[in-house]
């Protein structure tokens, strides 16, 4: 093992083999790197079998990187090593041994959208009004209960006395019954059921304890209770547990992460070695000092030393924007300049923001400017309708019990099966303990449906049946091709001849290439594993190294990553820190840690900005600069007034703020149409400004180029394109931008 690329403290961590070890260190000090090196060293120097090693990472991207690096070092035997996220590891365990707690290895995994669909059914059946008990909050509460290891019964015991909890308890119970009936698990169930398995089947646990002699966990500060218990169980025999983390980067408290797990590691694992790393290899000194000036405002933390020999570097740049469009304009102008003058590539830049909705202003401009960009975790590929439809078909092929998937696609494409028919099927199925798909195989049930619906249901049953027969022998790609041929999904979209349908077809082909890649990567590719992998895909996975694109993402999604240049935008009160932190000191501390994470992603250059006015939830209003700006050490920032940050002003910016070269966004042609804050707005995924298009206005289309609007009918625009003739497009979906 070559240790020359590690500093003494890092080498110590790599060479400490037995017993519990905690590496506690600030951002960019090489924690993840040490973890990877240690695994390689176990195999290379200490002759540990790869199959005795478990490594838990925070994202699938990190897992793949680790696997690749280790494969590079030791070759294909690394395949026997288990590397993955908590969820992926649990899936693997449950597929092998879930039968011991009543799960076949065919169970499907429900993502948040599936969860929502299932909850809707529960609301309906129980007659509970979602205005009184909002669906989103139920979803959140169920997840929290599960992270705290509370089953519906456990929850009832604890909180049943409180009448305001009554509806929630009913919903949680019904939800859990149904999910079990469907042979499904949501993300939290994966952890919970693994723990349950270990409790019910101690021999199974003993087997894994024996197998995983060396256990590793990255980003330990963000583990929740269930994850903590899982590690504790697995490490229960050999106690060779190697965890790395940084209390200052704990940013998932709202999802149940418990910072005590890291603080009390030495109590939980007596005799633990503590190793601290102090040299930072990522950033220059100004950036580190700036990060430190913010995080040191948090009470109850141990101050850490972090130094770098990369030199002082450049001070952070500061920009006070007039509004969010001016902010975007500034950022894009800077990026273009740096590419032009300093030899940066687009992929060297990351724009980090607090909420997803903020990406919109940047996207607007980047499209007009024709600069390649990627929104990480924004509009997720796997959340698009056509992809979810295909996934639902495939899930149903694997698991005929999956009623949620059945309802999603039974009438997609149209098979004349409406709500009434489904209700009839449901009644029939319920009485006999069948799934909806199974009911379609019963002549008696079919007799209940009208002629057309019956034909549709029978055809559907046949399609799924024929595919199911191939599941164990055929390639995933063959099953996919068959599915397309039998359902005619692509053909139908082709007949639509709209841009949206074309985009959907593109996405379906893109999906096919996902399958191809999966088959190339795996020795024995099968549909079950493929579905597990796609459902567990995390936000960071959409980043591809080869892309030369600017990356846009939330600070949460940037954890563990690094970029040569970082733009940290929207440093405003009630945005960053979030309005939720207004009168909650603990929430404010978490926001501050998030700010620390954001700053420490930067290698060479950091640019911070805020806007004096912003449209949020449809209202254009004056904004106050973030408290974090006032905490930052001004000696590390260029262009900021050391006397403090000024309050908002309302003067108009110079015209140049709005224009970059020829293709400027003409602010005057756009009439903002206020939108109500929706449920989605709270999760940050809503686009908060919408534009009214008028006849006569010029627009730019991503594919067709420039054109002029001839008429407007609702959201349907008729546009005469300069080179592509006249087309009708839906303003809500088409990749269109107004141009001046
Ligand atoms: N000894 C070293 N020599 C050279 N480069 C190093 C060394 N240690 C770490 N690095 C580099 O420093 C950067 C940061 O390392 P790494 O991502 O492992 O830090 P981290 O502590 O995990 O950061 P974070 O807290 O953000 O997850 C990486 O580019 C890594 O390759
Ligand atoms: Mg790391």
């Amino acid at each position: 093992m070559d240790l020359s690329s590690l500093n003494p403290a890092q080498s110590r961590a790599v060479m400490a083999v037995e017993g519990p070890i905690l590496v506690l260190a600030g951002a960019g000090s090489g924690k993840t790197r040490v973890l990877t090196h240690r695994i390689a060293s176990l195999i290379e120097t200490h002759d540990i079998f790869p199959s005795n090693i478990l490594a838990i990472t925070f994202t699938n991207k990190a897992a793949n990187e680790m696997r690749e690096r280790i494969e590079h070092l030791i070759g294909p035997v690394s395949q026997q090593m288990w590397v993955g996220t908590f969820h992926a590891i649990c899936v693997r365990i449950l597929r092998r041994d879930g039968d011991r707690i009543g799960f076949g290895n065919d169970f499907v995994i429900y993502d948040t959208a599936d969860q929502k669909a299932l909850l809707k059914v529960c609301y309906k059946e129980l007659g509970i009004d979602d205005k009184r008990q909002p669906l989103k909050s139920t979803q959140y509460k169920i997840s929290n209960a599960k992270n705290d290891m509370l089953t519906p019964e456990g929850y009832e015991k604890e909180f049943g006395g409180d009448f305001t909890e009554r509806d929630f308890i009913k919903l949680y119970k019904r939800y859990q019954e149904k999910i079990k009936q469907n042979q499904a698990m949501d993300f939290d169930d994966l952890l919970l059921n693994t723990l349950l398995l270990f409790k019910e089947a101690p021999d199974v646990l003993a087997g894994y304890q024996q197998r995983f002699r060396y256990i590793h966990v990255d980003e330990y500060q963000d583990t929740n209770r269930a994850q903590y218990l899982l590690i504790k169980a697995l490490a229960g025999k050999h106690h060779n547990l190697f965890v790395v983390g940084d209390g200052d980067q704990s940013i998932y408290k709202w999802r149940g992460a418990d910072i005590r797990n890291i603080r009390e590691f030495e109590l939980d694992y007596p005799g633990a070695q503590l190793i601290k790393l102090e040299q930072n290899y990522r950033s220059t000194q100004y950036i580190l000092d700036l990060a430190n000036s913010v995080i040191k405002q948090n009470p109850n933390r141990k101050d850490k030393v972090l130094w770098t020999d990369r030199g002082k570097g450049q001070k952070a740049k500061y920009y006070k924007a007039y509004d969010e469009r001016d902010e975007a304009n500034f950022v894009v102008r800077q990026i273009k300049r740096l590419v032009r003058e300093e030899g940066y590539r687009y992929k060297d830049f990351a724009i980090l923001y607090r909420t997803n909705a903020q990406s919109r202003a940047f996207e607007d401009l980047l499209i007009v400017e024709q600069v390649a960009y990627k929104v990480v975790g924004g509009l997720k590929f796997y959340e698009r309708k056509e992809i979810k439809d295909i996934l639902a078909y495939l899930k149903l092929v694997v698991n005929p019990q999956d009623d949620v998937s059945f309802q999603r696609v039974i009438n997609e494409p149209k098979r004349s099966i409406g709500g009434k028919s489904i209700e009839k099927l449901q009644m029939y199925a319920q009485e006999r303990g069948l799934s909806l798909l199974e009911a379609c195989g019963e002549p008696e049930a079919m007799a209940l449906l009208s002629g057309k619906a019956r034909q549709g249901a029978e055809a559907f049953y046949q399609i799924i049946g024929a595919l199911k027969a191939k599941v164990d022998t055929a390639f995933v790609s063959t099953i996919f091709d068959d599915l397309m041929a039998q359902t005619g999904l692509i053909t139908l979209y082709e007949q639509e001849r709209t841009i949206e349908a074309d985009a959907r077809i593109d996405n379906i082909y893109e999906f096919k290439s996902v399958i191809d890649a999966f088959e190339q990567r795996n020795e024995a590719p099968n549909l079950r594993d493929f579905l597990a992998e796609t459902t567990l895909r995390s936000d960071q996975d959409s980043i591809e190294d080869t892309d030369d694109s600017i990356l846009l993402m939330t600070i949460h999604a940037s954890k563990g990553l690094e970029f040569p240049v970082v733009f940290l935008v929207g440093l405003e009160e009630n945005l960053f820190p979030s309005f939720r932190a207004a009168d909650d000191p603990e929430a404010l501390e978490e926001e501050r840690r998030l700010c620390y994470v954001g700053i420490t992603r930067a290698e060479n250059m950091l640019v911070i900005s805020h806007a004096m006015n912003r449209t949020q939830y449809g209202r254009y209003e004056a904004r106050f600069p973030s408290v974090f700006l006032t905490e930052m050490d001004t000696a590390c920032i260029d262009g900021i007034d050391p006397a403090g940050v000024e309050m908002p002003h309302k003067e108009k910016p110079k015209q140049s703020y709005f224009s970059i070269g020829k293709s400027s966004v003409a602010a005057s042609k756009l009439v903002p149409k206020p939108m109500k804050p929706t449920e989605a707005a709270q999760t940050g995924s809503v686009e908060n400004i919408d534009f009214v298009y008028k006849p006569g206005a010029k627009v730019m289309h991503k594919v067709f180029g420039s054109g002029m609007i001839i008429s407007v009918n609702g959201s349907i625009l008729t546009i005469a394109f300069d080179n592509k003739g006249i087309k009708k497009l839906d303003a809500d979906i088409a990749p269109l931008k107004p141009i001046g």
Side-chain angles (χ1 to χ4, degrees), residues 4-7 10 25-35 69 218-219 221 244-246 249 277 279-283 558-562 596-597 600-601 603:
S4 63
S5 63
L6 300 170
N7 68 36
Q10 290 178 330
S29 56
K31 294 183 296 297
T32 304
R33 180 171 162 130
V34 159
L35 197 140
R69 275 207 231 171
D218 199 0
E219 308 275 3
Q221 76 279 356
V244 309
D246 176 6
Q249 295 187 66
L277 309 176
Q279 181 168 2
N280 172 298
Y281 290 88
R282 179 179 294 146
S283 315
S558 76
K559 197 169 71 155
L561 304 178
E562 53 194 16
Y596 174 76
V597 169
T600 54
R601 296 311 96 198
E603 294 170 10

Side-chain angles (χ1 to χ4, degrees), residues 79-295:
Q79 287 293 333
Q80 296 156 22
M81 186 175 73
W82 284 34
V83 179
T85 60
F86 273 103
H87 290 134
I89 300 290
C90 288
V91 172
R92 234 168 135 171
I93 292 175
L94 289 167
R95 290 255 191 257
R96 290 158 65 117
D97 297 301
D99 55 338
R100 297 289 296 275
I101 49 168
F103 280 97
N105 64 2
D106 289 349
F107 67 84
V108 286
I109 303 162
Y110 280 179
D111 63 14
T112 42
D114 298 326
Q115 231 182 347
K116 219 165 154 181
L118 190 64
L119 264 177
K120 274 197 186 139
V121 178
C122 300
Y123 270 84
K124 199 162 160 228
E125 285 183 8
L126 293 166
I128 293 174
D129 185 356
D130 65 358
K131 290 198 189 65
R132 225 175 31 179
Q133 170 77 34
L135 202 132
K136 191 113 211 144
S137 106
T138 304
Q139 208 170 359
Y140 183 74
K141 276 178 85 170
I142 289 180
S143 173
N144 273 356
K146 287 181 180 174
N147 287 335
D148 283 340
M149 312 284 309
L150 285 173
T151 58
E153 293 69 34
Y155 194 93
E156 188 171 23
K157 239 191 227 151
E158 198 140 322
F159 303 105
D162 182 348
F163 79 97
T164 58
E165 295 281 349
R166 229 180 282 156
D167 279 352
F168 171 71
I169 291 171
K170 276 194 221 157
L171 285 164
Y172 186 13
K173 271 192 183 156
R174 182 63 63 97
Y175 171 84
Q176 215 47 30
E177 273 164 33
K178 288 210 167 287
I179 205 162
K180 182 109 204 208
Q181 247 170 36
N182 289 355
Q183 279 280 316
M185 299 190 199
D186 62 28
F187 285 176
D188 301 311
D189 285 333
L190 294 172
L191 281 156
L192 212 62
N193 286 331
T194 307
L195 285 166
L196 183 72
L197 167 69
F198 288 169
K199 194 165 142 219
E200 305 270 303
D203 57 309
V204 172
L205 172 61
Y208 285 105
Q209 285 177 331
Q210 185 61 29
R211 174 184 181 129
F212 297 132
R213 282 178 56 200
Y214 296 91
I215 300 175
H216 305 77
V217 188
D218 199 0
E219 308 275 3
Y220 190 68
Q221 76 279 356
D222 274 325
T223 45
N224 63 29
R225 177 113 194 108
Q227 293 166 336
Y228 164 82
L229 290 171
L230 188 77
I231 297 164
K232 196 154 184 175
L234 287 173
K237 183 174 159 68
H238 292 293
H239 308 288
N240 295 325
L241 176 60
F242 186 92
V243 308
V244 309
D246 176 6
D248 288 335
Q249 295 187 66
S250 163
I251 53 174
Y252 280 100
K253 187 161 179 283
W254 54 282
R255 246 167 42 180
D258 191 351
I259 208 165
R260 89 153 269 297
N261 294 350
I262 202 159
R263 289 200 179 136
E264 295 181 13
F265 185 83
E266 288 161 289
L267 292 179
D268 292 331
Y269 298 95
Q273 275 189 71
L274 173 67
I275 294 173
K276 291 187 178 175
L277 309 176
E278 296 181 342
Q279 181 168 2
N280 172 298
Y281 290 88
R282 179 179 294 146
S283 315
T284 51
Q285 193 67 49
Y286 273 129
I287 293 170
L288 288 185
D289 290 348
L290 188 68
N292 195 47
S293 65
V294 173
I295 196 68

